[in-house]
Amino acid sequence: MAFFLQFFASNLPHHPVDRVGHRAFLPRDILDVVSRAAQKSCFICGQSGATITCCETDCDLSFHLPCAKQGGCVTQFSRPYRSFCPTHSPQQEVEATPEPGTNCLICMEPVEDRKTFNTMVCPACKNAWFHRDCIQGQALHAGFLSLQCPLCRNRDIFVMDLTTMGIRIPFGLVSFCLAHNTGGASAVLWQGLPQQSWPCTVL
């Protein structure tokens, strides 16, 4: 969390440190941002120290990174690491509405009756509905190289849309976990489990 906070912090300069493109933050710049944040209150929890401000021009709403999801804010975990308040957050452009009784394909619990911050749909097939927390959990387990729609298996459009909508997708290998329906007896690829065994939590 602290790692990404540096990228999301408003007006914190990124300094190139090598030819590969790695960047660093100078201590004096960090102290300057902390000083300014002490004068800003998070519009979600009301406490001071809000280092992130909505990137929309003329919007001065600030918030803490841990408060972002609770307040319906979108933080994009890829360059240029933009953050949005609820009013200016990107919306899924796909036109789709879940049928009555539609369940999340990951946890098999009901979704809302329309697209919202917490209810999302695959933009490729328009039939796979899921909770934000559920697809975030899948993204953290699967990683960038393996993440795909649970239903149509589309990858490119699916991953691009999730990134825009603020889902954190680590660039790493598929993780392993214990299958719920085996009593923890064997470790298997999470994406290989039946849907009823998929976890509905964010690590």
Side-chain angles (χ1 to χ4, degrees):
M1 184 74 72
F3 171 79
F4 286 108
L5 180 57
Q6 297 177 86
F7 288 95
F8 288 127
S10 301
N11 302 313
L12 179 57
H14 301 181
H15 299 277
V17 295
D18 58 33
R19 296 180 181 177
V20 179
H22 294 157
R23 294 176 175 271
F25 306 95
L26 299 181
R28 65 171 181 269
D29 293 331
I30 295 176
L31 291 176
D32 184 49
V33 167
V34 171
S35 177
R36 290 198 305 268
Q39 305 172 36
K40 295 182 178 181
S41 297
C42 172
F43 81 93
I44 301 167
C45 71
Q47 300 298 311
S48 62
T51 59
I52 303 175
T53 301
C54 177
C55 70
E56 183 70 17
T57 304
D58 297 329
C59 182
D60 59 358
L61 285 182
S62 298
F63 52 93
H64 302 118
L65 182 57
C67 296
K69 190 182 74 170
Q70 175 187 344
C73 303
V74 167
T75 50
Q76 298 175 338
F77 291 85
S78 60
R79 290 182 181 179
Y81 297 99
R82 299 186 300 173
S83 301
F84 301 87
C85 70
T87 300
H88 300 120
S89 290
Q91 306 294 322
Q92 286 193 292
E93 297 180 358
V94 58
E95 296 294 334
T97 302
E99 296 291 335
T102 297
N103 291 332
C104 169
L105 283 180
I106 299 174
C107 72
M108 302 308 295
E109 294 294 327
V111 297
E112 297 173 89
D113 59 1
R114 58 188 175 86
K115 290 182 302 178
T116 67
F117 177 79
N118 291 310
T119 295
M120 305 174 68
V121 64
C122 171
C125 66
K126 304 181 183 180
N127 290 316
W129 290 87
F130 35 80
H131 302 117
R132 173 177 286 268
D133 282 352
C134 294
I135 198 61
Q136 178 62 86
Q138 179 176 0
L140 290 176
H141 281 289
F144 179 81
L145 298 179
S146 299
L147 184 62
Q148 57 188 356
C149 171
L151 183 63
C152 71
R153 305 302 180 187
N154 178 276
R155 202 190 84 82
D156 294 340
I157 298 176
F158 185 70
V159 169
M160 182 179 297
D161 188 69
L162 292 185
T163 300
T164 299
M165 295 305 298
I167 299 300
R168 179 188 168 195
I169 308 173
F171 191 84
L173 298 176
V174 179
S175 64
F176 287 79
C177 73
L178 295 179
H180 290 187
N181 59 351
T182 61
S186 61
V188 296
L189 279 174
W190 183 75
Q191 276 196 314
L193 295 179
Q195 289 177 356
Q196 62 267 27
S197 301
W198 292 358
C200 183
T201 57
V202 178
L203 297 182

